[in-house]
Amino acid sequence: DDEYGQKLIKVAQANIITYSIDTPSDIRAEDLNFDSEGMTFNIVASNAKFKIRASLIGRHNVYNILAAFAVGFCENIASEDIIAGISNLEGVPGRLERIKGDYPFSVFIDYAHTENALQNVLATLGKIKQNRLILVFGCGGNRDTTKRAKMGRIAEDMADSVIITSDNPRNENPQGIIKDILSGIKNKDKCDIILERYSAITKALSLAEEGDIVLIAGKGHEQYQILKNKKIHFDDRKTAKNILDKKFNIE
């Protein structure tokens, strides 16, 4: 499917095994279905069809699974062992990581902190949402300032509700960072500004209703927040989990 992959095929001198979703190949995915808990699809290889269920989400992870399947296939690993391994994949912490629990809506944590990453994760979640997509995000301080307005524009276009907060402001004024983000947003009534990240996450989870998806973006696996020259403990995953369990009286 990838244009550069087509170029590599023409110059590679080794035996080539191709994989794809949209174009003919040796190993192909078809009948893709995504939901908030993962995805199912079929892998077609050597005139055989294999049913895949994984807890990962997104087309990019379909490609990752196809690549892994192709390697196992070439190494003559039994297909049932490959499929079992795929089924047991937990995913990378902080990368489209779903907060596990018996909640009426879904909450995801993702490291997306660039415009491309934010656009991709919102597009992925937009395909599986049943109701609204609520986004919590900010931008890091002392980093590329040109992406802030772009990320604001993407948030406005792709999320139903946006809460802008602090990421790692470092030595910048957090309000100045948020002002830069807002410069890319036309309909500012769509946004809530909550400077303190814990309060922003709390607000998002209080707004969420059945069928909604909440995305908390920017920090992913990080377990700290950088405020001026001080690094404090802060974990989006644990914060969201604690708020949710308290909200729904789960011990």
Side-chain angles (χ1 to χ4, degrees):
D1 295 334
D2 183 73
E3 182 179 343
Y4 193 74
Q6 297 292 336
K7 294 179 181 179
L8 289 176
I9 289 172
K10 294 177 181 179
V11 299
Q13 297 180 359
N15 292 329
I16 297 172
I17 302 294
T18 59
Y19 61 89
S20 68
I21 298 173
D22 300 320
T23 56
S25 62
D26 300 309
I27 297 173
R28 191 178 77 256
E30 60 179 28
D31 301 326
L32 278 64
N33 287 289
F34 301 98
D35 59 43
S36 62
E37 295 187 359
M39 58 187 176
T40 60
F41 60 94
N42 293 319
I43 291 180
V44 180
S46 294
N47 297 317
K49 185 177 290 189
F50 306 94
K51 185 74 173 180
I52 301 296
R53 173 72 198 183
S55 61
L56 308 177
I57 296 174
R59 280 175 65 94
H60 63 290
N61 278 319
V62 176
Y63 284 120
N64 290 337
I65 288 172
L66 287 171
F69 187 95
V71 171
F73 201 74
C74 291
E75 293 295 321
N76 295 315
I77 298 173
S79 58
E80 57 267 26
D81 291 336
I82 301 173
I83 293 168
I86 292 169
S87 298
N88 292 326
L89 282 172
E90 288 290 332
V92 179
R95 302 303 202 278
L96 258 183
E97 180 178 353
R98 185 175 68 88
I99 303 299
K100 295 180 180 178
D102 187 18
Y103 314 123
F105 51 83
S106 299
V107 180
F108 289 89
I109 309 296
D110 195 81
Y111 190 53
H113 59 281
T114 66
E115 61 269 29
N116 287 338
L118 185 63
Q119 185 174 31
N120 289 335
V121 70
L122 286 171
T124 295
L125 294 178
K127 293 176 182 176
I128 64 171
K129 70 173 185 175
Q130 297 176 339
N131 195 14
R132 298 175 301 165
L133 177 51
I134 300 170
L135 170 65
V136 179
F137 88 107
C139 290
N142 303 119
R143 296 294 187 268
D144 180 13
T145 60
T146 63
K147 69 180 181 181
R148 295 172 183 173
K150 297 174 184 176
M151 291 179 70
R153 191 175 308 114
I154 289 166
E156 179 187 17
D157 290 344
M158 302 185 71
D160 298 296
S161 181
V162 180
I163 299 174
I164 303 174
T165 188
S166 294
D167 188 284
N168 290 320
R170 298 182 175 85
N171 291 314
E172 280 196 65
N173 183 340
Q175 292 178 329
I177 296 173
I178 290 175
K179 183 178 179 181
D180 289 343
I181 295 171
L182 286 171
S183 69
I185 297 175
K186 295 179 181 178
N187 181 14
K188 294 178 175 56
D189 291 337
K190 189 176 184 178
C191 305
D192 285 319
I193 310 301
I194 303 178
L195 208 60
E196 203 264 330
R197 194 171 181 89
Y198 181 91
S199 299
I201 294 172
T202 301
K203 175 69 172 180
L205 298 180
S206 71
L207 291 174
E209 300 173 349
E210 185 172 353
D212 287 346
I213 291 177
V214 177
L215 171 63
I216 303 168
K219 295 180 60 59
H221 63 288
E222 292 180 351
Q223 299 179 28
Y224 58 83
Q225 191 174 23
I226 304 173
L227 308 172
K228 295 189 181 297
N229 295 317
K230 184 169 63 175
K231 183 182 285 189
I232 65 170
H233 178 75
F234 195 93
D235 187 323
D236 282 352
R237 297 167 297 173
K238 289 184 178 179
T239 297
K241 177 69 173 172
N242 290 339
I243 294 170
L244 286 166
D245 286 351
K246 184 176 180 180
K247 176 182 175 74
F248 295 105
N249 298 315
I250 299 173
E251 295 183 358

CSV table of all heavy atoms in Angstrom, one decimal, residues 128-151:
chain,number,residue,atom,x,y,z
A,128,ILE,N,-14.6,4.8,15.6
A,128,ILE,CA,-15.3,3.8,16.5
A,128,ILE,C,-16.2,4.5,17.5
A,128,ILE,O,-16.9,3.8,18.3
A,128,ILE,CB,-14.2,3.0,17.2
A,128,ILE,CG1,-13.3,3.9,18.1
A,128,ILE,CG2,-13.4,2.2,16.2
A,128,ILE,CD1,-12.4,3.1,19.0
A,129,LYS,N,-16.3,5.8,17.5
A,129,LYS,CA,-17.1,6.5,18.5
A,129,LYS,C,-18.6,6.2,18.2
A,129,LYS,O,-19.0,6.2,17.1
A,129,LYS,CB,-16.8,8.0,18.5
A,129,LYS,CG,-17.3,8.7,17.3
A,129,LYS,CD,-17.2,10.2,17.4
A,129,LYS,CE,-17.8,11.0,16.2
A,129,LYS,NZ,-17.7,12.4,16.4
A,130,GLN,N,-19.3,6.1,19.3
A,130,GLN,CA,-20.8,5.9,19.1
A,130,GLN,C,-21.5,7.2,19.4
A,130,GLN,O,-22.6,7.4,19.0
A,130,GLN,CB,-21.2,4.8,20.1
A,130,GLN,CG,-20.7,3.4,19.9
A,130,GLN,CD,-21.1,2.4,20.9
A,130,GLN,OE1,-21.5,2.8,22.0
A,130,GLN,NE2,-21.0,1.1,20.5
A,131,ASN,N,-20.8,8.1,20.1
A,131,ASN,CA,-21.4,9.4,20.5
A,131,ASN,C,-20.4,10.5,20.3
A,131,ASN,O,-19.9,10.7,19.1
A,131,ASN,CB,-22.0,9.3,21.9
A,131,ASN,CG,-22.9,10.5,22.2
A,131,ASN,OD1,-23.4,11.1,21.3
A,131,ASN,ND2,-23.2,10.7,23.5
A,132,ARG,N,-20.0,11.1,21.3
A,132,ARG,CA,-19.0,12.2,21.2
A,132,ARG,C,-17.6,11.8,21.4
A,132,ARG,O,-17.3,10.8,22.0
A,132,ARG,CB,-19.4,13.3,22.2
A,132,ARG,CG,-20.7,14.0,22.0
A,132,ARG,CD,-21.0,15.0,23.2
A,132,ARG,NE,-20.9,14.3,24.5
A,132,ARG,CZ,-20.8,14.9,25.6
A,132,ARG,NH1,-20.7,16.2,25.7
A,132,ARG,NH2,-20.7,14.2,26.8
A,133,LEU,N,-16.7,12.6,20.8
A,133,LEU,CA,-15.3,12.4,21.0
A,133,LEU,C,-14.8,13.7,21.8
A,133,LEU,O,-14.8,14.8,21.3
A,133,LEU,CB,-14.5,12.3,19.7
A,133,LEU,CG,-13.0,12.1,19.7
A,133,LEU,CD1,-12.5,11.1,20.7
A,133,LEU,CD2,-12.5,11.8,18.3
A,134,ILE,N,-14.4,13.4,23.0
A,134,ILE,CA,-13.9,14.5,23.9
A,134,ILE,C,-12.4,14.5,24.0
A,134,ILE,O,-11.9,13.4,24.4
A,134,ILE,CB,-14.6,14.4,25.3
A,134,ILE,CG1,-16.1,14.4,25.2
A,134,ILE,CG2,-14.1,15.5,26.3
A,134,ILE,CD1,-16.8,14.0,26.5
A,135,LEU,N,-11.8,15.6,23.8
A,135,LEU,CA,-10.3,15.7,23.8
A,135,LEU,C,-9.8,16.6,24.9
A,135,LEU,O,-10.3,17.7,25.1
A,135,LEU,CB,-9.9,16.2,22.4
A,135,LEU,CG,-8.4,16.5,22.3
A,135,LEU,CD1,-7.5,15.3,22.4
A,135,LEU,CD2,-8.1,17.2,20.9
A,136,VAL,N,-8.8,16.0,25.6
A,136,VAL,CA,-8.0,16.8,26.5
A,136,VAL,C,-6.5,16.9,26.0
A,136,VAL,O,-5.9,15.8,25.7
A,136,VAL,CB,-8.0,16.2,27.9
A,136,VAL,CG1,-7.1,17.1,28.9
A,136,VAL,CG2,-9.4,16.0,28.5
A,137,PHE,N,-6.0,18.1,25.8
A,137,PHE,CA,-4.6,18.2,25.3
A,137,PHE,C,-4.0,19.5,25.6
A,137,PHE,O,-4.7,20.5,25.9
A,137,PHE,CB,-4.6,17.9,23.8
A,137,PHE,CG,-4.7,19.1,22.9
A,137,PHE,CD1,-3.7,19.6,22.2
A,137,PHE,CD2,-6.0,19.7,22.8
A,137,PHE,CE1,-3.8,20.7,21.4
A,137,PHE,CE2,-6.2,20.8,22.0
A,137,PHE,CZ,-5.1,21.3,21.3
A,138,GLY,N,-2.7,19.6,25.5
A,138,GLY,CA,-2.0,20.8,25.6
A,138,GLY,C,-0.7,20.7,24.7
A,138,GLY,O,-0.6,19.8,24.0
A,139,CYS,N,0.2,21.7,24.8
A,139,CYS,CA,1.4,21.6,24.1
A,139,CYS,C,2.6,21.9,25.0
A,139,CYS,O,2.5,22.7,26.0
A,139,CYS,CB,1.5,22.6,22.9
A,139,CYS,SG,0.3,22.2,21.6
A,140,GLY,N,3.7,21.2,24.8
A,140,GLY,CA,4.9,21.4,25.6
A,140,GLY,C,5.5,22.8,25.5
A,140,GLY,O,5.5,23.4,24.4
A,141,GLY,N,6.1,23.2,26.6
A,141,GLY,CA,6.9,24.5,26.5
A,141,GLY,C,8.3,24.3,26.1
A,141,GLY,O,8.8,23.2,26.1
A,142,ASN,N,8.9,25.4,25.6
A,142,ASN,CA,10.3,25.4,25.1
A,142,ASN,C,10.5,24.3,24.0
A,142,ASN,O,11.5,23.7,23.9
A,142,ASN,CB,11.3,25.1,26.2
A,142,ASN,CG,11.1,26.1,27.4
A,142,ASN,OD1,10.8,25.7,28.5
A,142,ASN,ND2,11.3,27.4,27.1
A,143,ARG,N,9.5,24.2,23.2
A,143,ARG,CA,9.5,23.2,22.1
A,143,ARG,C,8.9,24.0,20.8
A,143,ARG,O,8.6,25.1,20.9
A,143,ARG,CB,8.7,21.9,22.4
A,143,ARG,CG,9.3,21.1,23.5
A,143,ARG,CD,10.7,20.5,23.1
A,143,ARG,NE,11.2,19.6,24.1
A,143,ARG,CZ,12.0,19.9,25.1
A,143,ARG,NH1,12.3,21.2,25.3
A,143,ARG,NH2,12.4,19.0,25.9
A,144,ASP,N,8.8,23.3,19.7
A,144,ASP,CA,8.3,23.9,18.5
A,144,ASP,C,7.0,24.6,18.7
A,144,ASP,O,5.9,24.0,19.0
A,144,ASP,CB,8.1,22.7,17.5
A,144,ASP,CG,7.6,23.2,16.1
A,144,ASP,OD1,7.6,24.5,15.9
A,144,ASP,OD2,7.1,22.4,15.3
A,145,THR,N,7.0,25.9,18.5
A,145,THR,CA,5.8,26.7,18.8
A,145,THR,C,4.9,26.7,17.6
A,145,THR,O,3.7,27.0,17.7
A,145,THR,CB,6.2,28.2,19.1
A,145,THR,OG1,6.9,28.8,18.0
A,145,THR,CG2,7.0,28.2,20.4
A,146,THR,N,5.4,26.4,16.4
A,146,THR,CA,4.6,26.5,15.2
A,146,THR,C,3.5,25.4,15.1
A,146,THR,O,2.5,25.6,14.4
A,146,THR,CB,5.4,26.3,13.9
A,146,THR,OG1,6.1,25.1,13.9
A,146,THR,CG2,6.5,27.4,13.9
A,147,LYS,N,3.6,24.3,15.9
A,147,LYS,CA,2.7,23.3,15.8
A,147,LYS,C,1.4,23.6,16.7
A,147,LYS,O,0.4,22.9,16.5
A,147,LYS,CB,3.3,21.9,16.3
A,147,LYS,CG,3.6,21.9,17.8
A,147,LYS,CD,4.2,20.6,18.2
A,147,LYS,CE,4.5,20.5,19.7
A,147,LYS,NZ,5.1,19.2,20.1
A,148,ARG,N,1.5,24.6,17.5
A,148,ARG,CA,0.4,24.8,18.5
A,148,ARG,C,-0.9,25.2,17.8
A,148,ARG,O,-1.9,24.6,18.1
A,148,ARG,CB,0.9,25.8,19.5
A,148,ARG,CG,2.0,25.4,20.4
A,148,ARG,CD,2.6,26.5,21.3
A,148,ARG,NE,3.8,26.0,22.0
A,148,ARG,CZ,4.5,26.8,22.7
A,148,ARG,NH1,4.3,28.1,22.8
A,148,ARG,NH2,5.6,26.3,23.4
A,149,ALA,N,-0.8,26.2,17.0
A,149,ALA,CA,-2.0,26.6,16.2
A,149,ALA,C,-2.6,25.5,15.4
A,149,ALA,O,-3.8,25.3,15.2
A,149,ALA,CB,-1.8,27.8,15.4
A,150,LYS,N,-1.7,24.7,14.8
A,150,LYS,CA,-2.1,23.6,13.9
A,150,LYS,C,-2.8,22.5,14.7
A,150,LYS,O,-3.8,22.0,14.3
A,150,LYS,CB,-0.8,23.0,13.2
A,150,LYS,CG,-0.1,23.9,12.3
A,150,LYS,CD,1.2,23.3,11.8
A,150,LYS,CE,2.0,24.2,10.9
A,150,LYS,NZ,3.3,23.7,10.5
A,151,MET,N,-2.3,22.2,15.9
A,151,MET,CA,-2.9,21.2,16.8
A,151,MET,C,-4.3,21.8,17.2
A,151,MET,O,-5.3,21.0,17.3
A,151,MET,CB,-2.0,20.9,17.9
A,151,MET,CG,-0.8,20.1,17.5
A,151,MET,SD,0.3,19.7,18.9
A,151,MET,CE,-0.7,18.5,19.8
